[in-house]
PDB file of all heavy atoms in Angstrom:
ATOM      1  N   LEU A 166      -5.112  -4.868  32.649  1.00  0.00           N
ATOM      2  CA  LEU A 166      -4.728  -4.119  31.596  1.00  0.00           C
ATOM      3  C   LEU A 166      -5.300  -4.570  30.246  1.00  0.00           C
ATOM      4  O   LEU A 166      -5.559  -5.849  30.073  1.00  0.00           O
ATOM      5  CB  LEU A 166      -3.154  -4.334  31.361  1.00  0.00           C
ATOM      6  CG  LEU A 166      -2.358  -3.251  30.663  1.00  0.00           C
ATOM      7  CD1 LEU A 166      -2.353  -2.103  31.516  1.00  0.00           C
ATOM      8  CD2 LEU A 166      -0.955  -3.731  30.409  1.00  0.00           C
ATOM      9  N   GLU A 167      -5.585  -3.737  29.337  1.00  0.00           N
ATOM     10  CA  GLU A 167      -6.106  -4.024  27.968  1.00  0.00           C
ATOM     11  C   GLU A 167      -4.988  -3.412  27.098  1.00  0.00           C
ATOM     12  O   GLU A 167      -4.695  -2.180  27.314  1.00  0.00           O
ATOM     13  CB  GLU A 167      -7.564  -3.471  27.729  1.00  0.00           C
ATOM     14  CG  GLU A 167      -7.851  -3.668  26.319  1.00  0.00           C
ATOM     15  CD  GLU A 167      -9.236  -2.967  25.992  1.00  0.00           C
ATOM     16  OE1 GLU A 167      -9.111  -1.815  25.546  1.00  0.00           O
ATOM     17  OE2 GLU A 167     -10.258  -3.500  26.186  1.00  0.00           O
ATOM     18  N   ALA A 168      -4.609  -4.095  26.114  1.00  0.00           N
ATOM     19  CA  ALA A 168      -3.574  -3.738  25.185  1.00  0.00           C
ATOM     20  C   ALA A 168      -3.781  -4.168  23.681  1.00  0.00           C
ATOM     21  O   ALA A 168      -4.254  -5.286  23.610  1.00  0.00           O
ATOM     22  CB  ALA A 168      -2.124  -4.037  25.587  1.00  0.00           C
ATOM     23  N   VAL A 169      -3.370  -3.422  22.712  1.00  0.00           N
ATOM     24  CA  VAL A 169      -3.526  -3.722  21.486  1.00  0.00           C
ATOM     25  C   VAL A 169      -2.192  -4.165  20.935  1.00  0.00           C
ATOM     26  O   VAL A 169      -1.196  -3.368  20.983  1.00  0.00           O
ATOM     27  CB  VAL A 169      -4.196  -2.742  20.521  1.00  0.00           C
ATOM     28  CG1 VAL A 169      -4.267  -3.240  19.057  1.00  0.00           C
ATOM     29  CG2 VAL A 169      -5.584  -2.346  21.166  1.00  0.00           C
ATOM     30  N   LEU A 170      -2.076  -5.326  20.376  1.00  0.00           N
ATOM     31  CA  LEU A 170      -0.720  -5.839  19.988  1.00  0.00           C
ATOM     32  C   LEU A 170      -0.408  -5.237  18.556  1.00  0.00           C
ATOM     33  O   LEU A 170      -1.272  -4.745  17.896  1.00  0.00           O
ATOM     34  CB  LEU A 170      -0.720  -7.360  19.979  1.00  0.00           C
ATOM     35  CG  LEU A 170      -1.176  -8.027  21.279  1.00  0.00           C
ATOM     36  CD1 LEU A 170      -0.861  -9.508  21.303  1.00  0.00           C
ATOM     37  CD2 LEU A 170      -0.248  -7.498  22.494  1.00  0.00           C
ATOM     38  N   PRO A 171       0.963  -5.329  18.266  1.00  0.00           N
ATOM     39  CA  PRO A 171       1.247  -4.740  16.909  1.00  0.00           C
ATOM     40  C   PRO A 171       0.541  -5.123  15.709  1.00  0.00           C
ATOM     41  O   PRO A 171       0.330  -4.359  14.811  1.00  0.00           O
ATOM     42  CB  PRO A 171       2.765  -5.148  16.827  1.00  0.00           C
ATOM     43  CG  PRO A 171       3.245  -5.355  18.164  1.00  0.00           C
ATOM     44  CD  PRO A 171       2.053  -5.977  18.935  1.00  0.00           C
ATOM     45  N   ASP A 172       0.092  -6.368  15.723  1.00  0.00           N
ATOM     46  CA  ASP A 172      -0.727  -6.883  14.522  1.00  0.00           C
ATOM     47  C   ASP A 172      -2.173  -6.475  14.652  1.00  0.00           C
ATOM     48  O   ASP A 172      -3.034  -6.896  13.783  1.00  0.00           O
ATOM     49  CB  ASP A 172      -0.586  -8.275  14.308  1.00  0.00           C
ATOM     50  CG  ASP A 172      -1.172  -9.168  15.388  1.00  0.00           C
ATOM     51  OD1 ASP A 172      -1.752  -8.510  16.496  1.00  0.00           O
ATOM     52  OD2 ASP A 172      -1.142 -10.423  15.385  1.00  0.00           O
ATOM     53  N   GLY A 173      -2.621  -5.765  15.663  1.00  0.00           N
ATOM     54  CA  GLY A 173      -4.017  -5.317  15.844  1.00  0.00           C
ATOM     55  C   GLY A 173      -4.776  -6.107  16.713  1.00  0.00           C
ATOM     56  O   GLY A 173      -5.929  -5.770  17.042  1.00  0.00           O
ATOM     57  N   SER A 174      -4.217  -7.252  17.165  1.00  0.00           N
ATOM     58  CA  SER A 174      -5.064  -8.088  18.127  1.00  0.00           C
ATOM     59  C   SER A 174      -5.253  -7.465  19.466  1.00  0.00           C
ATOM     60  O   SER A 174      -4.236  -6.837  19.947  1.00  0.00           O
ATOM     61  CB  SER A 174      -4.610  -9.588  18.203  1.00  0.00           C
ATOM     62  OG  SER A 174      -3.242  -9.603  18.324  1.00  0.00           O
ATOM     63  N   ILE A 175      -6.449  -7.714  20.130  1.00  0.00           N
ATOM     64  CA  ILE A 175      -6.691  -7.086  21.342  1.00  0.00           C
ATOM     65  C   ILE A 175      -6.522  -8.066  22.536  1.00  0.00           C
ATOM     66  O   ILE A 175      -7.083  -9.177  22.432  1.00  0.00           O
ATOM     67  CB  ILE A 175      -8.125  -6.475  21.416  1.00  0.00           C
ATOM     68  CG1 ILE A 175      -8.283  -5.457  20.325  1.00  0.00           C
ATOM     69  CG2 ILE A 175      -8.522  -5.854  22.765  1.00  0.00           C
ATOM     70  CD1 ILE A 175      -9.631  -4.939  20.063  1.00  0.00           C
ATOM     71  N   TRP A 176      -5.705  -7.689  23.464  1.00  0.00           N
ATOM     72  CA  TRP A 176      -5.619  -8.621  24.660  1.00  0.00           C
ATOM     73  C   TRP A 176      -6.400  -7.906  25.758  1.00  0.00           C
ATOM     74  O   TRP A 176      -6.003  -6.881  26.267  1.00  0.00           O
ATOM     75  CB  TRP A 176      -4.226  -8.837  25.083  1.00  0.00           C
ATOM     76  CG  TRP A 176      -4.019  -9.436  26.520  1.00  0.00           C
ATOM     77  CD1 TRP A 176      -4.664 -10.615  26.849  1.00  0.00           C
ATOM     78  CD2 TRP A 176      -3.405  -8.927  27.680  1.00  0.00           C
ATOM     79  NE1 TRP A 176      -4.329 -10.937  28.120  1.00  0.00           N
ATOM     80  CE2 TRP A 176      -3.668  -9.786  28.681  1.00  0.00           C
ATOM     81  CE3 TRP A 176      -2.733  -7.765  27.958  1.00  0.00           C
ATOM     82  CZ2 TRP A 176      -3.152  -9.671  29.929  1.00  0.00           C
ATOM     83  CZ3 TRP A 176      -2.207  -7.486  29.261  1.00  0.00           C
ATOM     84  CH2 TRP A 176      -2.385  -8.561  30.240  1.00  0.00           C
ATOM     85  N   ASN A 177      -7.491  -8.592  26.197  1.00  0.00           N
ATOM     86  CA  ASN A 177      -8.278  -7.985  27.308  1.00  0.00           C
ATOM     87  C   ASN A 177      -7.798  -8.703  28.694  1.00  0.00           C
ATOM     88  O   ASN A 177      -8.298  -9.777  28.952  1.00  0.00           O
ATOM     89  CB  ASN A 177      -9.718  -8.195  27.092  1.00  0.00           C
ATOM     90  CG  ASN A 177     -10.589  -7.629  28.146  1.00  0.00           C
ATOM     91  OD1 ASN A 177     -10.121  -7.414  29.228  1.00  0.00           O
ATOM     92  ND2 ASN A 177     -11.883  -7.341  27.859  1.00  0.00           N
TER      93      ASN A 177
END
Side-chain angles (χ1 to χ4, degrees):
L166 204 68
E167 177 188 86
V169 181
L170 304 185
D172 64 0
S174 44
I175 298 170
W176 170 55
N177 182 342

